[in-house]
Amino acid sequence: MPNEARLILLDRDSLASLLQPDEVLEAVREAFRLHSRRAGRVFPVVREALPGGGVFGIKSGDVPDEALLGFKAAGFWPANRALGGEPHQATIVLIDPKTGRPQGVIDGNAITTLRTGAAGALGLQLLARPDSTSACVFGTGVQAGIQVDYALRLLPGLRTVRYLTHDGLRRPAFEARFEGRCDIALATDANAAVEASDIVITATPGKAALFDAAAVRPGTHLNAVGADTRGKRELPEGLLPRCRLFVDDQLQARQIGEAQWSPDTACTEIGDVLTGTAAACRQPQDITVFDMTGLALQDLTVARLVLQGAVARGIGTSIAWPW
């Protein structure tokens, strides 16, 4: 009844036990499948620059047959670093599609981190050479870390990881995170690191191309994470036309992803590979790219997962929300 309605609030600490990497991976896999079947809808993205250098965006969508509706308000506030906080901020709201009333308000930072890492993991599973043993990652932030973590979980043959920083300095804490799981060390020559790697992961603010196209050798797979706004890029000019390009959503990738720089390059949605509508059919010499811009459906399926878990286990804050 309207007067008995309640709203569940899940803060950062509440999510700690609700976000399990394997479960998030399956929720993201389902999001891509829903998108491929067009059972889930992705609404137009809002992504706008703010005074002071920040970016604010809204990603929203629904799955009508599963009564799933909601949005994520998120963006990037670089000044947060000076406050000791994370620049990426996100809040997810799940809504009852029958009434329009909110069901849950969820801290979206951890969800965004894990769902993006899981999407990258699916890209590696589907597109990277199975015999891949070496990777390089550009960036050492939250997203770079989760991308490497998932890569090591899903690719048992991955032995060597080289990372690159914007200032060329070591990040001992980043190395310590993966100690014992791989041979990890700083690389200072971007082109050499790319040339020596089977897998390249770019997880930076996406201000400019990070390496030369000629450094990418046949057989390489690239997960491009950082370009999610008009004008951002990490990959060099001339690379995408040489590649087999995979995206989460064709229109979105051409608007705000790496594909904005090569909009005429043919691309395949990763969900279509998962549903069998399209085939990856990787050849050993293929260069493959997964252009990851992030789908609202990823946020919604993972948010549903944690909200259901919270209700079942009595986690979070339940407050009266009469109408």
Side-chain angles (χ1 to χ4, degrees):
M1 297 298 292
N3 287 336
E4 298 173 355
R6 304 193 70 82
L7 176 66
I8 306 298
L9 303 180
L10 294 172
D11 63 14
R12 178 196 64 188
D13 296 335
S14 300
L15 294 177
S17 64
L18 296 170
L19 284 170
Q20 300 302 317
D22 289 344
E23 293 179 355
V24 172
L25 183 68
E26 290 310 307
V28 170
R29 192 189 306 272
E30 178 61 13
F32 285 136
R33 287 172 172 159
L34 289 166
H35 189 52
S36 174
R37 298 194 298 266
R38 296 304 186 255
R41 298 187 297 173
V42 175
F43 303 149
V45 173
V46 174
R47 192 78 174 168
E48 299 295 337
L50 299 173
V55 177
F56 174 71
I58 296 175
K59 290 181 176 178
S60 57
D62 71 349
V63 184
D65 290 344
E66 298 182 11
L68 182 60
L69 171 68
F71 66 88
K72 179 175 76 175
F76 187 75
W77 284 264
N80 284 2
R81 290 194 181 97
L83 303 174
E86 167 58 40
H88 291 91
Q89 292 295 318
T91 302
I92 298 173
V93 178
L94 292 181
I95 296 169
D96 181 352
K98 294 181 180 179
T99 65
R101 297 293 293 173
Q103 299 171 315
V105 177
I106 306 168
D107 185 299
N109 291 353
I111 287 178
T112 300
T113 297
L114 263 75
R115 66 84 153 148
T116 308
L122 291 172
L124 295 179
Q125 277 189 327
L126 295 169
L127 304 173
R129 293 197 335 266
D131 61 348
S132 296
T133 62
S134 58
C136 72
V137 55
F138 288 81
T140 56
V142 171
Q143 193 49 233
I146 197 64
Q147 291 288 330
V148 174
D149 182 73
Y150 265 112
L152 292 171
R153 285 175 180 271
L154 296 181
L155 297 176
L158 190 59
R159 305 268 193 273
T160 303
V161 176
R162 296 293 177 256
Y163 68 94
L164 296 103
T165 60
H166 68 90
D167 56 10
L169 300 179
R170 282 186 61 212
R171 299 291 189 269
F174 188 76
E175 294 178 15
R177 176 173 177 175
F178 303 106
E179 185 176 359
R181 299 177 66 189
C182 64
D183 169 17
I184 185 165
L186 175 71
T188 56
D189 185 324
N191 286 334
V194 169
E195 189 173 4
S197 298
D198 301 315
I199 294 166
V200 177
I201 299 168
T202 59
T204 75
K207 295 180 179 179
L210 298 169
F211 50 87
D212 297 332
V216 182
R217 56 184 171 83
T220 303
H221 172 71
L222 301 93
N223 271 356
V225 184
D228 58 2
T229 305
R230 289 185 299 273
K232 292 177 70 174
R233 78 180 307 169
E234 297 178 301
L235 304 185
E237 185 176 355
L239 178 61
L240 291 189
R242 293 172 51 203
C243 300
R244 296 187 60 203
L245 177 60
F246 296 81
V247 300
D248 41 26
D249 179 82
Q250 292 194 31
L251 177 61
Q252 191 170 290
R254 289 175 172 136
Q255 290 177 333
I256 63 175
E258 290 291 342
Q260 69 184 286
W261 304 104
S262 187
D264 295 329
T265 298
C267 58
T268 301
E269 290 187 357
I270 202 81
D272 290 344
V273 178
L274 286 167
T275 59
T277 305
C281 295
R282 162 182 262 289
Q283 301 301 311
Q285 298 299 100
D286 286 343
I287 298 172
T288 52
V289 172
F290 183 22
D291 183 8
M292 301 166 52
T293 56
L295 292 182
L297 293 177
Q298 296 168 240
D299 299 307
L300 298 185
T301 56
V302 178
R304 175 176 61 184
L305 170 74
V306 299
L307 185 61
Q308 290 174 343
V311 171
R313 296 164 58 184
I315 295 174
T317 302
S318 176
I319 62 175
W321 203 255
W323 58 290

